[in-house]
Amino acid sequence: MNRFNVRKVAVLGAGVMGAQIAAHLVNVKVPVVLFDLPAKDGPKNGIVTKAVEGLKKLKPAPLGIPEDAALIQQANYEEHLGLLGECDLIIEAIAERMDWKLDLYTKIASAIAPHAIVASNTSGLSITKLSEVLPEAIKPRFCGIHFFNPPRYMALVELIATPTTEPEILDQLETFVTTALGKSVVRAKDTPNFIANRVGIAGMLATMKEAETYGLTYDVVDDLTGKKLGRASSGTFRTADVVGLDTMAHVIRTLQDNLGPDQANDPFFSSYATPPVLQKLLDAGALGQKTGAGFYKKVGKDILRYDAEKGDYVAGGGKADEIVARILKKPPAERLKLLHDSKNPQAQFLWAILRDSFHYVAVHLADVAESARDIDFAMRWGFGASQGPFELWQQAGWTQVANWVKEDIEAGKALSAAPLPTWVFEGLGGADGGVHRPEGSWSAAHARFVAPSTLPVYERQVFRETVFGAGALEPLKAGTEVFRNDEVRVWTLDGEVLIASITAKLHLISPAVTEGLTKAVDLAEGGYQGLVVWSPDDVFSAGANLEALMPVFMKSGGKGIAPEEKKLQDTMLRIRYAAVPVVAAVRGMALGGGCELAIHCARRVAAMESYMGFVEVGVGLIPGGGGLAYVARRAAEMATAGNANADLFQFIRDGFTSAATAKVGTSAIESRKLGYLLWSDVIVPNKDELLHVASAQVRAMAESGWRPPARAPFPVAGRNAIATIKGQLVNMRDGGFISAHDFDVAALIADVVCGGDVDAGSLATEEYLMALERKHFCGLLDHPKTQERIMGMLQTGKPVRN
Ligand code: NAD
């Protein structure tokens, strides 16, 4: 495959999707030019400018940091078509109208660079039909690229070829979308709504219909069809509200317009009718979250639900029956049997929607997807399900479930009379078979099992996501284990790079974790190029394990904790001054002690979605694992880096403020702005590539003759700086912005980051600053207000303000 260099991307259409796709491109450092129609009044870029401004306020935030909006180049079709020639990829995301899209393609065709890939983000139009107006030269480079909203956070991107798309183009695009944009690609056929929306929206319609059959209210349905069922926590109706009822109606219309008896003759066609209640809400302009009302309406603190009979909103909050909630916790085979056999209407409803989904995907597999794996992945990545329908079916016992579905179809209980395809019973070989096997997943279109893509980009994913039944090795059982205790596994894949995985809940740092990490450093120094701190799940470490320290604290108070804390600080220094590079592979939360662990590593490789910060003040404490010593050291390094006369205090103030206000970066980019990642660290768009990149960093650092930093004392800002900070804190306290205890904790943070009661410019060591940290940390532990905060957090998980 030729290398596909993407120097710049053009996004056409600065609406909901286009603007957010442009934002995500900026997040991953791909230069982007965003086009829209010229404004009728005022500056011609008016429409785009407004969209770019909107990105700064949108929630969830499409940009890593709002100020990066300035990196989106703004353009309009009247003045700037020439800019298209600089772009290697053009993503069209204008309004969903075939005629408008075709007009635009005709208008821009001559401005497109001859090698550029052109792709449409349409959710429902035929990609093949769209390609038909394109000049012959562009057709081989045209395809569909279907992002999900919000594009920064939704993993799925469906790529759709036309009969004239050059296969290499899709390979190039899949590589780029996977590694550079960090998305998870499913190749979809050019059928209405492609895979995820086809299966997902049919599932939502089925859920709405069965909810009515079983007389369940929206709140109860959402409780049943959310987390408890292993799906997105917003359930069904709230998901519809978040997506927008108009958008949902649009997707439904695509099903209605394209799958009728005179077209595809989909056997489920009758179930694509717009539910009357949805129509009622649409007519009333209640489009969901964006209009403040849909299936739900927030009034003050209460979430009301729509009552279709009353035509008004009534009190919500209904939950699943206890017995059904218990059934949903059982293993799949038992769970499905209990649901199938139960007389409880909620259980019957759940069996009905699961049956409908199994029935639907079995009947449609041959036309909509290459293999069952693509449907399962599409539902995981596009709809937030923990498992796709085929996986669940297989795990629950393929033939048993197939027989139940068959019985229901024959009894007229299913949404369609279409029988299950014969391959369900005869094509898969064996009673306990199923669609996923180690050699691949079932393709109904090809009547064989097909292996996952072998595109080289997937070699970067050491533990690539797989489906149930594919027989993949679990990361924490893979490789050669070198050491393990209760909370850390130390292992290697290649005998060169050692890996330490924290296995404790939320990867909280306890004495067992520090002991395991120290051991890992010893082992790495003894015979490896270096160490990577990596775990296979979505959190680096949520902080120190306060509960683990409780017994010592109960026995001997804050003083008793000091030796434990010293051990933690020693581990941090051990990592920092290890004779081999230690690289933190950060993903998700790296809070408190987790953040301290990351910053003491020689380098950090962080997934785009990394949330780093010191949150200790929330429990009335200060960072005590070397975090404040780090703030002081970094300030000194920055002050001396460019300009020997720079004012140290300026650099300290930022670090102080972040720690004192428990500021957490909302992305790797913001975490870097807060100083918890350095410019020399690596931000990786795709979380599944973290281990690969972190290991590569270890090897490169070792190859380049890596040595630990010199242990040198550095200047601190001293007592005058402390007085200045305290002066500001007094105003905040007296103005009622912070409590007296907030003041005390912040003052102690100031004391450490400024180096204590010394003259400005005095030299300090990390050990000295850590001793100060320890003194204040242990002192706070004995403070009743801090104890109140800690107990509150341990009991309710929420910070106590006192
Ligand atoms: P939108 O209505 O928010 O934005 C559409 C943009 O197109 C606007 O900025 C508008 O100025 C521009 N536009 C309108 N008419 C035009 C014309 N004749 N020529 C050029 N530009 C024109 O739409 P959206 O929700 O961002 O959807 C854009 C595309 O993305 C659609 O194809 C849609 O199906 C698809 N999509 C939407 C979602 C979603 O959830 N909204 C998700 C995936 C894909």
Side-chain angles (χ1 to χ4, degrees), residues 12-21 35-38 47-48 51 77 92-97 99-101 103-104 107 120-125 130 145-151 197 242-244 247 250-251 290:
L12 312 181
V16 174
M17 289 303 286
Q20 290 192 83
I21 293 169
F35 279 86
D36 211 309
L37 297 166
I47 296 177
V48 177
Y77 306 116
E92 172 272 308
I94 71 158
E96 187 77 331
R97 281 268 302 262
D99 51 342
W100 294 353
K101 292 197 196 256
D103 270 0
L104 182 67
K107 188 155 73 182
S120 175
N121 181 50
T122 176
S123 356
L125 302 174
L130 285 173
I145 185 167
H146 187 218
F147 286 87
F148 282 69
N149 190 16
N197 276 342
V242 172
V243 168
T247 303
H250 200 91
V251 182
K290 60 183 148 190

Short mmCIF file of all heavy atoms in Angstrom, two decimals, residues 12-21 35-38 47-48 51 77 92-97 99-101 103-104 107 120-125 130 145-151 197 242-244 247 250-251 290, ligand 1:
data_model
loop_
_atom_site.label_atom_id
_atom_site.label_comp_id
_atom_site.label_asym_id
_atom_site.label_seq_id
_atom_site.Cartn_x
_atom_site.Cartn_y
_atom_site.Cartn_z
N LEU A 12 -16.40 19.95 4.44
CA LEU A 12 -17.40 20.78 3.76
C LEU A 12 -18.70 20.73 4.57
O LEU A 12 -19.28 19.66 4.76
CB LEU A 12 -17.67 20.26 2.35
CG LEU A 12 -16.43 19.95 1.50
CD1 LEU A 12 -16.84 19.47 0.12
CD2 LEU A 12 -15.53 21.18 1.38
N GLY A 13 -19.11 21.89 5.08
CA GLY A 13 -20.32 21.92 5.91
C GLY A 13 -19.93 22.11 7.36
O GLY A 13 -19.27 21.25 7.95
N ALA A 14 -20.31 23.28 7.92
CA ALA A 14 -19.92 23.58 9.30
C ALA A 14 -21.12 23.42 10.23
O ALA A 14 -21.33 24.21 11.14
CB ALA A 14 -19.35 24.99 9.38
N GLY A 15 -21.93 22.39 9.97
CA GLY A 15 -23.08 22.13 10.85
C GLY A 15 -22.66 21.32 12.06
O GLY A 15 -21.49 21.30 12.44
N VAL A 16 -23.64 20.63 12.65
CA VAL A 16 -23.40 19.83 13.85
C VAL A 16 -22.19 18.91 13.66
O VAL A 16 -21.27 18.87 14.47
CB VAL A 16 -24.66 18.97 14.15
CG1 VAL A 16 -24.39 18.01 15.30
CG2 VAL A 16 -25.85 19.85 14.44
N MET A 17 -22.21 18.17 12.55
CA MET A 17 -21.16 17.17 12.35
C MET A 17 -19.88 17.78 11.80
O MET A 17 -18.79 17.52 12.30
CB MET A 17 -21.65 16.07 11.41
CG MET A 17 -22.69 15.18 12.04
SD MET A 17 -22.14 14.39 13.57
CE MET A 17 -21.04 13.14 12.95
N GLY A 18 -20.00 18.57 10.73
CA GLY A 18 -18.81 19.10 10.07
C GLY A 18 -17.92 19.86 11.04
O GLY A 18 -16.70 19.64 11.11
N ALA A 19 -18.52 20.75 11.84
CA ALA A 19 -17.73 21.56 12.76
C ALA A 19 -17.03 20.66 13.79
O ALA A 19 -15.87 20.87 14.13
CB ALA A 19 -18.62 22.58 13.46
N GLN A 20 -17.75 19.66 14.27
CA GLN A 20 -17.14 18.79 15.29
C GLN A 20 -16.08 17.88 14.69
O GLN A 20 -15.11 17.53 15.37
CB GLN A 20 -18.21 17.94 15.96
CG GLN A 20 -19.14 18.73 16.86
CD GLN A 20 -19.96 17.79 17.73
OE1 GLN A 20 -19.51 17.33 18.77
NE2 GLN A 20 -21.17 17.48 17.29
N ILE A 21 -16.26 17.47 13.45
CA ILE A 21 -15.22 16.66 12.80
C ILE A 21 -13.95 17.52 12.64
O ILE A 21 -12.84 17.08 12.90
CB ILE A 21 -15.70 16.12 11.43
CG1 ILE A 21 -16.84 15.10 11.65
CG2 ILE A 21 -14.56 15.48 10.65
CD1 ILE A 21 -17.58 14.68 10.37
N PHE A 35 -15.28 24.54 5.44
CA PHE A 35 -16.04 25.33 4.46
C PHE A 35 -17.52 25.37 4.81
O PHE A 35 -18.08 24.42 5.35
CB PHE A 35 -15.96 24.66 3.08
CG PHE A 35 -14.70 24.93 2.31
CD1 PHE A 35 -13.57 24.15 2.51
CD2 PHE A 35 -14.66 25.94 1.36
CE1 PHE A 35 -12.41 24.38 1.78
CE2 PHE A 35 -13.51 26.17 0.62
CZ PHE A 35 -12.38 25.39 0.82
N ASP A 36 -18.17 26.47 4.44
CA ASP A 36 -19.63 26.47 4.38
C ASP A 36 -20.04 27.48 3.32
O ASP A 36 -19.19 28.09 2.66
CB ASP A 36 -20.27 26.77 5.76
CG ASP A 36 -21.62 26.07 5.90
OD1 ASP A 36 -22.46 26.21 4.97
OD2 ASP A 36 -21.84 25.36 6.89
N LEU A 37 -21.33 27.65 3.15
CA LEU A 37 -21.83 28.59 2.15
C LEU A 37 -21.38 30.00 2.53
O LEU A 37 -21.21 30.28 3.73
CB LEU A 37 -23.36 28.54 2.12
CG LEU A 37 -23.97 27.20 1.69
CD1 LEU A 37 -25.46 27.17 2.02
CD2 LEU A 37 -23.74 26.98 0.20
N PRO A 38 -21.21 30.89 1.56
CA PRO A 38 -20.91 32.28 1.92
C PRO A 38 -22.12 32.91 2.62
O PRO A 38 -23.26 32.63 2.24
CB PRO A 38 -20.64 32.95 0.56
CG PRO A 38 -21.28 32.07 -0.45
CD PRO A 38 -21.32 30.68 0.10
N ILE A 47 -20.89 32.16 8.36
CA ILE A 47 -21.51 30.91 8.83
C ILE A 47 -20.47 30.04 9.53
O ILE A 47 -20.71 29.50 10.61
CB ILE A 47 -22.16 30.15 7.64
CG1 ILE A 47 -23.30 30.99 7.06
CG2 ILE A 47 -22.67 28.79 8.07
CD1 ILE A 47 -23.97 30.39 5.83
N VAL A 48 -19.30 29.94 8.90
CA VAL A 48 -18.25 29.11 9.49
C VAL A 48 -17.77 29.71 10.81
O VAL A 48 -17.58 29.00 11.81
CB VAL A 48 -17.06 28.95 8.51
CG1 VAL A 48 -15.94 28.16 9.17
CG2 VAL A 48 -17.51 28.26 7.25
N ALA A 51 -20.03 28.88 13.54
CA ALA A 51 -19.92 27.45 13.92
C ALA A 51 -18.68 27.21 14.76
O ALA A 51 -18.70 26.49 15.76
CB ALA A 51 -19.89 26.59 12.66
N TYR A 77 -17.29 28.69 -0.09
CA TYR A 77 -17.17 28.17 -1.46
C TYR A 77 -17.00 29.29 -2.49
O TYR A 77 -16.58 29.04 -3.60
CB TYR A 77 -18.40 27.34 -1.83
CG TYR A 77 -18.69 26.23 -0.85
CD1 TYR A 77 -19.87 26.22 -0.11
CD2 TYR A 77 -17.79 25.18 -0.67
CE1 TYR A 77 -20.13 25.21 0.81
CE2 TYR A 77 -18.05 24.16 0.25
CZ TYR A 77 -19.23 24.19 0.99
OH TYR A 77 -19.49 23.19 1.89
N GLU A 92 -17.21 15.55 3.13
CA GLU A 92 -18.42 16.36 2.91
C GLU A 92 -19.42 16.04 4.01
O GLU A 92 -19.75 14.87 4.26
CB GLU A 92 -18.98 16.06 1.51
CG GLU A 92 -20.32 16.68 1.23
CD GLU A 92 -21.46 15.78 1.67
OE1 GLU A 92 -21.47 14.59 1.28
OE2 GLU A 92 -22.32 16.25 2.43
N ALA A 93 -19.88 17.11 4.69
CA ALA A 93 -20.85 16.92 5.79
C ALA A 93 -21.90 18.02 5.72
O ALA A 93 -22.21 18.68 6.72
CB ALA A 93 -20.13 16.94 7.13
N ILE A 94 -22.45 18.24 4.51
CA ILE A 94 -23.50 19.26 4.41
C ILE A 94 -24.86 18.60 4.65
O ILE A 94 -24.96 17.39 4.83
CB ILE A 94 -23.47 20.01 3.06
CG1 ILE A 94 -23.94 19.12 1.91
CG2 ILE A 94 -22.09 20.58 2.78
CD1 ILE A 94 -24.43 19.89 0.70
N ALA A 95 -25.90 19.42 4.63
CA ALA A 95 -27.24 18.94 4.96
C ALA A 95 -27.60 17.70 4.14
O ALA A 95 -27.13 17.52 3.02
CB ALA A 95 -28.24 20.06 4.70
N GLU A 96 -28.46 16.86 4.75
CA GLU A 96 -28.78 15.55 4.17
C GLU A 96 -29.78 15.68 3.02
O GLU A 96 -30.95 15.30 3.14
CB GLU A 96 -29.33 14.66 5.30
CG GLU A 96 -29.56 13.22 4.94
CD GLU A 96 -28.30 12.38 4.88
OE1 GLU A 96 -27.22 12.93 4.59
OE2 GLU A 96 -28.40 11.18 5.13
N ARG A 97 -29.33 16.24 1.89
CA ARG A 97 -30.19 16.35 0.71
C ARG A 97 -29.38 15.92 -0.49
O ARG A 97 -28.35 16.52 -0.82
CB ARG A 97 -30.66 17.80 0.52
CG ARG A 97 -31.79 18.22 1.43
CD ARG A 97 -33.17 18.00 0.81
NE ARG A 97 -33.34 18.69 -0.46
CZ ARG A 97 -33.97 19.88 -0.58
NH1 ARG A 97 -34.48 20.47 0.47
NH2 ARG A 97 -34.09 20.45 -1.78
N ASP A 99 -29.89 16.33 -3.67
CA ASP A 99 -29.70 17.36 -4.70
C ASP A 99 -28.65 18.39 -4.28
O ASP A 99 -27.82 18.82 -5.08
CB ASP A 99 -31.04 18.02 -5.06
CG ASP A 99 -31.80 18.50 -3.83
OD1 ASP A 99 -31.49 18.03 -2.71
OD2 ASP A 99 -32.70 19.35 -3.97
N TRP A 100 -28.65 18.77 -2.99
CA TRP A 100 -27.67 19.75 -2.54
C TRP A 100 -26.25 19.17 -2.59
O TRP A 100 -25.30 19.84 -2.97
CB TRP A 100 -27.98 20.22 -1.11
CG TRP A 100 -29.26 20.99 -1.01
CD1 TRP A 100 -30.05 21.40 -2.06
CD2 TRP A 100 -29.92 21.43 0.18
NE1 TRP A 100 -31.14 22.08 -1.60
CE2 TRP A 100 -31.10 22.11 -0.22
CE3 TRP A 100 -29.64 21.33 1.54
CZ2 TRP A 100 -31.98 22.69 0.70
CZ3 TRP A 100 -30.51 21.91 2.46
CH2 TRP A 100 -31.67 22.58 2.04
N LYS A 101 -26.15 17.93 -2.18
CA LYS A 101 -24.81 17.31 -2.19
C LYS A 101 -24.31 17.20 -3.63
O LYS A 101 -23.15 17.52 -3.92
CB LYS A 101 -24.86 15.92 -1.52
CG LYS A 101 -25.14 16.02 -0.01
CD LYS A 101 -24.79 14.75 0.73
CE LYS A 101 -25.39 14.67 2.11
NZ LYS A 101 -24.56 14.91 3.26
N ASP A 103 -25.13 19.01 -6.21
CA ASP A 103 -24.77 20.37 -6.67
C ASP A 103 -23.38 20.77 -6.22
O ASP A 103 -22.57 21.29 -6.97
CB ASP A 103 -25.72 21.40 -6.03
CG ASP A 103 -26.94 21.63 -6.88
OD1 ASP A 103 -27.02 21.00 -7.95
OD2 ASP A 103 -27.81 22.42 -6.44
N LEU A 104 -23.15 20.50 -4.93
CA LEU A 104 -21.86 20.90 -4.36
C LEU A 104 -20.72 20.13 -5.03
O LEU A 104 -19.69 20.72 -5.39
CB LEU A 104 -21.86 20.66 -2.84
CG LEU A 104 -20.58 21.07 -2.14
CD1 LEU A 104 -20.40 22.59 -2.18
CD2 LEU A 104 -20.57 20.61 -0.67
N LYS A 107 -19.89 21.59 -8.23
CA LYS A 107 -19.24 22.89 -8.08
C LYS A 107 -17.76 22.75 -7.72
O LYS A 107 -16.93 23.54 -8.18
CB LYS A 107 -19.98 23.68 -7.00
CG LYS A 107 -19.55 25.12 -6.86
CD LYS A 107 -20.64 25.99 -6.25
CE LYS A 107 -20.83 25.75 -4.77
NZ LYS A 107 -21.89 26.52 -4.15
N SER A 120 -18.13 11.18 1.80
CA SER A 120 -19.33 11.81 2.33
C SER A 120 -19.68 11.23 3.69
O SER A 120 -19.61 10.03 3.91
CB SER A 120 -20.51 11.61 1.40
OG SER A 120 -21.68 12.12 2.00
N ASN A 121 -20.10 12.15 4.60
CA ASN A 121 -20.51 11.73 5.94
C ASN A 121 -22.02 11.46 6.01
O ASN A 121 -22.61 11.39 7.09
CB ASN A 121 -20.10 12.84 6.92
CG ASN A 121 -20.44 12.53 8.36
OD1 ASN A 121 -20.12 11.46 8.86
ND2 ASN A 121 -21.12 13.44 9.05
N THR A 122 -22.65 11.33 4.87
CA THR A 122 -24.11 11.10 4.88
C THR A 122 -24.48 9.93 5.79
O THR A 122 -23.77 8.94 5.86
CB THR A 122 -24.63 10.81 3.46
OG1 THR A 122 -26.02 10.51 3.57
CG2 THR A 122 -23.94 9.64 2.80
N SER A 123 -25.62 10.06 6.49
CA SER A 123 -26.04 8.93 7.31
C SER A 123 -26.98 8.00 6.57
O SER A 123 -27.17 6.87 6.98
CB SER A 123 -26.73 9.35 8.60
OG SER A 123 -26.75 10.69 8.80
N GLY A 124 -27.60 8.53 5.50
CA GLY A 124 -28.63 7.67 4.93
C GLY A 124 -28.67 7.59 3.41
O GLY A 124 -29.30 6.71 2.85
N LEU A 125 -27.98 8.52 2.73
CA LEU A 125 -28.09 8.52 1.27
C LEU A 125 -27.17 7.46 0.68
O LEU A 125 -26.17 7.08 1.28
CB LEU A 125 -27.71 9.90 0.72
CG LEU A 125 -28.57 11.05 1.27
CD1 LEU A 125 -28.04 12.39 0.78
CD2 LEU A 125 -30.03 10.87 0.85
N LEU A 130 -24.56 9.02 -4.91
CA LEU A 130 -23.82 10.28 -4.77
C LEU A 130 -22.62 10.30 -5.71
O LEU A 130 -22.26 11.35 -6.26
CB LEU A 130 -23.31 10.45 -3.32
CG LEU A 130 -24.34 10.85 -2.27
CD1 LEU A 130 -23.71 10.81 -0.88
CD2 LEU A 130 -24.90 12.25 -2.55
N ILE A 145 -17.85 8.03 4.59
CA ILE A 145 -17.12 8.04 5.87
C ILE A 145 -18.12 8.49 6.92
O ILE A 145 -18.39 9.67 7.08
CB ILE A 145 -15.87 8.95 5.80
CG1 ILE A 145 -15.05 8.86 7.07
CG2 ILE A 145 -16.24 10.40 5.52
CD1 ILE A 145 -13.65 9.49 6.93
N HIS A 146 -18.74 7.54 7.59
CA HIS A 146 -19.85 7.88 8.48
C HIS A 146 -19.41 7.94 9.94
O HIS A 146 -19.22 6.93 10.59
CB HIS A 146 -20.98 6.85 8.30
CG HIS A 146 -22.22 7.20 9.05
ND1 HIS A 146 -23.01 6.26 9.67
CD2 HIS A 146 -22.80 8.39 9.29
CE1 HIS A 146 -24.02 6.88 10.25
NE2 HIS A 146 -23.92 8.16 10.05
N PHE A 147 -19.26 9.19 10.42
CA PHE A 147 -18.92 9.43 11.82
C PHE A 147 -20.19 9.40 12.66
O PHE A 147 -21.28 9.64 12.16
CB PHE A 147 -18.29 10.82 12.00
CG PHE A 147 -16.90 10.95 11.49
CD1 PHE A 147 -16.64 11.28 10.17
CD2 PHE A 147 -15.82 10.79 12.35
CE1 PHE A 147 -15.35 11.42 9.70
CE2 PHE A 147 -14.52 10.93 11.90
CZ PHE A 147 -14.28 11.25 10.57
N PHE A 148 -20.04 9.19 13.95
CA PHE A 148 -21.18 9.24 14.87
C PHE A 148 -21.06 10.45 15.77
O PHE A 148 -19.96 10.90 16.07
CB PHE A 148 -21.26 7.92 15.68
CG PHE A 148 -21.85 6.85 14.82
CD1 PHE A 148 -21.13 6.35 13.74
CD2 PHE A 148 -23.14 6.40 15.02
CE1 PHE A 148 -21.69 5.43 12.89
CE2 PHE A 148 -23.71 5.48 14.18
CZ PHE A 148 -22.99 4.99 13.11
N ASN A 149 -22.17 10.97 16.16
CA ASN A 149 -22.22 12.19 16.96
C ASN A 149 -22.21 11.84 18.45
O ASN A 149 -23.02 11.03 18.87
CB ASN A 149 -23.51 12.94 16.60
CG ASN A 149 -23.54 14.33 17.20
OD1 ASN A 149 -22.51 14.86 17.62
ND2 ASN A 149 -24.70 14.92 17.25
N PRO A 150 -21.35 12.43 19.26
CA PRO A 150 -20.30 13.41 18.96
C PRO A 150 -19.01 12.72 18.46
O PRO A 150 -18.54 11.79 19.12
CB PRO A 150 -20.05 14.08 20.31
CG PRO A 150 -20.48 13.09 21.34
CD PRO A 150 -21.53 12.20 20.71
N PRO A 151 -18.47 13.18 17.34
CA PRO A 151 -17.36 12.47 16.70
C PRO A 151 -16.09 12.34 17.54
O PRO A 151 -15.35 11.39 17.37
CB PRO A 151 -17.10 13.26 15.42
CG PRO A 151 -17.84 14.53 15.55
CD PRO A 151 -18.93 14.34 16.56
N ASN A 197 -26.76 2.40 12.41
CA ASN A 197 -28.07 3.05 12.50
C ASN A 197 -29.19 2.12 12.04
O ASN A 197 -30.31 2.20 12.52
CB ASN A 197 -28.09 4.34 11.68
CG ASN A 197 -27.51 5.51 12.47
OD1 ASN A 197 -27.40 5.43 13.69
ND2 ASN A 197 -27.13 6.56 11.78
N VAL A 242 -31.21 12.58 23.41
CA VAL A 242 -29.86 13.14 23.24
C VAL A 242 -29.53 13.26 21.76
O VAL A 242 -29.00 14.27 21.30
CB VAL A 242 -28.82 12.25 23.98
CG1 VAL A 242 -27.40 12.71 23.66
CG2 VAL A 242 -29.05 12.30 25.49
N VAL A 243 -29.87 12.22 20.99
CA VAL A 243 -29.59 12.25 19.54
C VAL A 243 -30.41 13.35 18.88
O VAL A 243 -29.97 14.00 17.92
CB VAL A 243 -29.94 10.87 18.93
CG1 VAL A 243 -29.96 10.93 17.41
CG2 VAL A 243 -28.96 9.82 19.41
N GLY A 244 -31.59 13.59 19.37
CA GLY A 244 -32.50 14.55 18.75
C GLY A 244 -33.61 13.78 18.05
O GLY A 244 -33.33 12.93 17.20
N THR A 247 -33.54 14.11 14.29
CA THR A 247 -32.51 13.28 13.65
C THR A 247 -32.98 11.84 13.59
O THR A 247 -32.84 11.15 12.57
CB THR A 247 -31.18 13.38 14.44
OG1 THR A 247 -30.83 14.75 14.52
CG2 THR A 247 -30.07 12.60 13.79
N HIS A 250 -35.47 11.35 10.99
CA HIS A 250 -34.82 11.37 9.68
C HIS A 250 -34.29 9.98 9.30
O HIS A 250 -34.46 9.52 8.18
CB HIS A 250 -33.67 12.36 9.74
CG HIS A 250 -33.24 12.82 8.41
ND1 HIS A 250 -33.76 13.94 7.82
CD2 HIS A 250 -32.37 12.28 7.54
CE1 HIS A 250 -33.21 14.07 6.63
NE2 HIS A 250 -32.36 13.08 6.44
N VAL A 251 -33.65 9.36 10.28
CA VAL A 251 -33.10 8.02 10.03
C VAL A 251 -34.24 7.03 9.77
O VAL A 251 -34.17 6.18 8.89
CB VAL A 251 -32.22 7.55 11.22
CG1 VAL A 251 -31.61 6.20 10.94
CG2 VAL A 251 -31.12 8.56 11.49
N LYS A 290 -32.06 19.18 22.85
CA LYS A 290 -31.73 20.50 22.28
C LYS A 290 -32.88 21.50 22.43
O LYS A 290 -32.66 22.71 22.40
CB LYS A 290 -31.29 20.38 20.82
CG LYS A 290 -32.29 19.80 19.86
CD LYS A 290 -31.65 19.68 18.47
CE LYS A 290 -32.22 18.49 17.75
NZ LYS A 290 -31.54 18.13 16.54
P1 NAD B 1 -26.54 20.47 9.87
O1 NAD B 1 -27.89 20.82 9.40
O2 NAD B 1 -26.16 20.76 11.26
O3 NAD B 1 -25.47 21.20 8.95
C1 NAD B 1 -25.52 21.20 7.58
C2 NAD B 1 -24.59 22.25 7.00
O4 NAD B 1 -24.74 22.21 5.58
C3 NAD B 1 -24.92 23.66 7.43
O5 NAD B 1 -23.77 24.25 7.98
C4 NAD B 1 -25.38 24.35 6.16
O6 NAD B 1 -24.95 25.69 6.06
C5 NAD B 1 -24.76 23.52 5.07
N1 NAD B 1 -25.58 23.53 3.85
C6 NAD B 1 -26.92 23.53 3.77
N2 NAD B 1 -27.28 23.53 2.49
C7 NAD B 1 -26.17 23.53 1.76
C8 NAD B 1 -25.93 23.54 0.36
N3 NAD B 1 -26.91 23.54 -0.50
N4 NAD B 1 -24.65 23.53 -0.05
C9 NAD B 1 -23.64 23.53 0.83
N5 NAD B 1 -23.83 23.54 2.16
C10 NAD B 1 -25.08 23.54 2.62
O7 NAD B 1 -26.33 18.93 9.51
P2 NAD B 1 -25.51 17.80 10.27
O8 NAD B 1 -26.34 17.22 11.33
O9 NAD B 1 -24.15 18.31 10.57
O10 NAD B 1 -25.40 16.72 9.12
C11 NAD B 1 -24.47 16.84 8.06
C12 NAD B 1 -24.31 15.49 7.39
O11 NAD B 1 -23.83 14.56 8.35
C13 NAD B 1 -25.60 14.92 6.86
O12 NAD B 1 -25.33 14.21 5.69
C14 NAD B 1 -26.04 13.98 7.98
O13 NAD B 1 -26.84 12.93 7.49
C15 NAD B 1 -24.71 13.46 8.46
N6 NAD B 1 -24.68 12.96 9.84
C16 NAD B 1 -25.33 13.60 10.84
C17 NAD B 1 -25.26 13.11 12.13
C18 NAD B 1 -25.95 13.80 13.29
O14 NAD B 1 -26.12 13.20 14.34
N7 NAD B 1 -26.34 15.05 13.15
C19 NAD B 1 -24.49 11.97 12.41
C20 NAD B 1 -23.80 11.36 11.36
C21 NAD B 1 -23.90 11.87 10.08
#
